Amino acid sequence: MKTTVVWNGNMSFSGQSASGVTIPMDAAKDVGGNDSGARPMELLLHALAGCTGIDIILILRKMRLDVRAFSMEVEGTRAEDHPKRFTEIHIHYALEGDLPEEKVVRAIRLSKEKYCSVSHSLHAAITASYSINGVRGKETI
């Protein structure tokens, strides 16, 4: 896998992925940026959510379950001192559909423990919760 990142001046960069997608990145104005793109640490949270989300949809489809809607809220806590890495990340999965809780929990666990290459590339403690049809699940994963 390969990506190309080009400096656009100031604190702005553009990442060109192997799949042809361009991702703008920039810093906040208080550190010399123009707020013209996502922060790299924000993209890390997006990457984690995208990775685990794809896993979960694939797993639930293999279980022949129909997911009507699916979203995730990802919250990262960063260290106070440099390098200000993520020390904790929490993902809340909100799913809609006729989804048995035990199967949703299994899909989340499989993503977290086996399949999500992004989460396995991080050192942060990652936890997860979920809701099905607006009802919060019983387990923290």
Side-chain angles (χ1 to χ4, degrees):
M1 185 175 294
K2 184 178 179 181
T3 189
T4 303
V5 178
V6 176
W7 179 51
N8 301 320
N10 210 14
M11 296 291 174
S12 175
F13 291 83
S14 295
Q16 179 79 36
S17 69
S19 59
V21 176
T22 299
I23 301 169
M25 295 173 278
D26 200 358
K29 288 182 178 183
D30 64 345
V31 294
N34 294 316
D35 285 326
S36 65
R39 310 290 182 273
M41 293 298 278
E42 293 171 336
L43 290 173
L44 190 62
L45 294 180
H46 281 269
L48 175 60
C51 182
T52 187
I54 290 168
D55 289 343
I56 289 167
I57 290 295
L58 287 171
I59 293 164
L60 293 175
R61 283 184 178 167
K62 283 183 182 179
M63 294 177 182
R64 299 176 190 246
L65 295 172
D66 183 31
V67 179
R68 288 193 308 267
F70 180 25
S71 64
M72 291 163 277
E73 289 183 13
V74 185
E75 186 174 345
T77 302
R78 295 181 66 182
E80 303 246 343
D81 297 322
H82 288 286
K84 296 187 179 181
R85 68 179 188 86
F86 286 118
T87 57
E88 294 179 20
I89 298 172
H90 181 79
I91 306 168
H92 179 79
Y93 300 94
L95 298 103
E96 299 284 331
D98 185 18
L99 303 167
E101 183 173 351
E102 66 276 1
K103 292 191 177 194
V104 170
V105 168
R106 178 160 171 69
I108 294 169
R109 275 209 171 98
L110 282 169
S111 177
K112 181 180 177 189
E113 296 170 3
K114 184 173 183 180
Y115 293 113
C116 183
S117 54
V118 174
S119 67
H120 287 278
S121 299
L122 301 173
H123 291 289
I126 301 170
T127 60
S129 60
Y130 60 94
S131 58
I132 303 169
N133 300 321
V135 178
R136 191 152 182 107
K138 299 173 191 164
E139 295 188 48
T140 298
I141 302 160

